[in-house]
Amino acid sequence: MPRYDKIVVLTGAGLSAESGLATFRDKDGIWARYDYRDVATPEGFARNPSLVYEFYNMRRREGSKAKPNAAHYALAQLQRQHPGEVLVVTQNIDGLHEAAGTTNLIHMHGEMATSLCTNCDARQPWREDLAAELVCPECELVGGLRPNVVWFGEIPYEMDRIAAALAACNLFISIGTSGNVYPAAGFVAGAIEAGAHTVELNLEPSDTASYFAERHQGAATELVPSYLNTLLEV
Ligand code: BV8
């Protein structure tokens, strides 16, 4: 049996950076161009829905053109070849993990290619632009469709399943996240409590870097394949 048989991987925007998708807090990142209170909060959506629709329409269009990179493929290969359980929890709303073949996956902050109806709560695949005047295919009401994305102040998806996986894991790997946003930034503490080995793979030390037992600094497309290969060799 390999040294680690219950692995939880947390990913953030840094994993998709080399696929051409902007991160949030890098110097030319999304939050340098938009105020998160305007585009990633329920209050911002209520204040100016068309700005929020356009913000996510633009990211959905960009996301639909992006391709997985070597780090996404290395994670999918780990899931296929590692005899243990590998759960990927992503903060990313792009579909690059799935496109690379990752299956055991939780989008804790939602997905850009799905809509949420505020009238009937239906989540549906949605690749086109979203707008206020659209009809929900489920309840046929107009005006209820919003991006199926978790905004600040909203509860991330599948927190119970994530908590259970962290409590049982013996290896926690964090890739491409600045460790700014909770509850995701607190997962490393849960993994430590479970007695897991903790590893950070990031371009630069995150805000929670000091929590990690092992840290490697560099680009995800270099770090991730080489680190994950060491897990497949043991
Ligand atoms: C919650 C929407 C309760 C999706 C996002 C006061 C009032 C209200 C709330 C709070 C408060 N104080 C704290 C909070 C909680 C709040 C929070 O954490 N705020 C922060 C700012 C302090 N959190 C929430 O509100 C969350 N909900 O708490 O509900 C609750 C919780 C649990 C149980 C019950 C109730 C909801 C948070 C989700 C918000 N939604 N976005 C979207 O538009 O995409 S947040 C946004 O940040 C994205 O989701 C993103 O995924 C997330 C994290 O960002 P990162 O992925 O880390 O990206 P970032 O740019 O920051 O970093 C990239 C990293 O990659 C960098 O380190 C860089 O060096 C590295 N990198 C770059 N290139 C590469 C690379 N690494 C490797 N290779 C490369 N090539």
Side-chain angles (χ1 to χ4, degrees):
M1 202 49 184
R3 189 168 173 198
Y4 304 115
D5 63 343
K6 293 214 180 306
I7 303 173
V8 174
V9 184
L10 172 67
T11 65
L15 189 84
S16 298
E18 290 164 273
S19 294
L21 296 182
T23 64
F24 290 87
R25 295 167 185 84
D26 287 338
K27 61 183 179 336
D28 52 352
I30 292 171
W31 297 151
R33 287 174 274 140
Y34 292 88
D35 182 329
Y36 79 92
R37 288 163 299 193
D38 293 335
V39 293
T41 63
E43 296 77 12
F45 182 57
R47 211 171 29 247
N48 186 349
S50 49
L51 172 68
V52 176
Y53 281 125
E54 190 38 39
F55 174 68
Y56 286 99
N57 290 343
M58 174 269 291
R59 289 178 61 200
R60 193 178 304 105
R61 287 184 225 119
E62 282 172 5
S64 65
K65 288 182 288 216
K67 298 278 178 268
N69 61 52
H72 293 105
Y73 285 115
L75 282 165
Q77 182 193 34
L78 181 74
Q79 274 193 339
R80 274 196 309 278
Q81 295 181 0
H82 195 282
E85 191 180 324
V86 181
L87 171 66
V88 177
V89 180
T90 188
Q91 300 172 88
N92 299 339
I93 63 173
D94 62 52
L96 296 181
H97 278 302
E98 299 88 327
T102 288
T103 48
N104 193 11
L105 172 67
I106 295 176
H107 274 281
M108 66 177 291
H109 290 165
E111 299 172 69
M112 60 172 67
T114 59
S115 65
L116 165 61
C117 177
T118 54
N119 292 316
C120 69
D121 225 25
R123 280 122 177 111
Q124 327 216 8
W126 205 280
R127 301 201 178 286
E128 310 307 317
D129 285 358
L130 274 170
E133 62 275 8
L134 294 176
V135 177
C136 168
E138 188 70 22
C139 65
E140 297 179 347
L141 294 176
V142 179
L145 291 181
R146 60 164 270 189
N148 178 31
V149 162
V150 177
W151 288 327
F152 288 99
E154 295 185 324
I155 299 174
Y157 283 123
E158 302 213 54
M159 285 305 296
D160 291 346
R161 190 172 150 214
I162 295 169
L166 288 170
C169 78
N170 41 40
L171 177 60
F172 176 74
I173 310 169
S174 178
I175 306 172
T177 181
S178 62
N180 262 282
V181 174
Y182 288 82
F187 290 171
V188 60
I192 291 168
E193 215 171 297
H197 180 52
T198 54
V199 180
E200 177 176 88
L201 309 177
N202 211 53
L203 195 62
E204 59 202 14
S206 74
D207 283 14
T208 51
S210 59
Y211 284 83
F212 289 85
E214 184 180 350
R215 296 197 301 260
H216 300 279
Q217 210 167 313
T221 53
E222 278 139 47
L223 285 188
V224 176
S226 60
Y227 180 76
L228 298 190
N229 279 338
T230 64
L231 299 178
L232 292 171
E233 281 152 15
V234 295

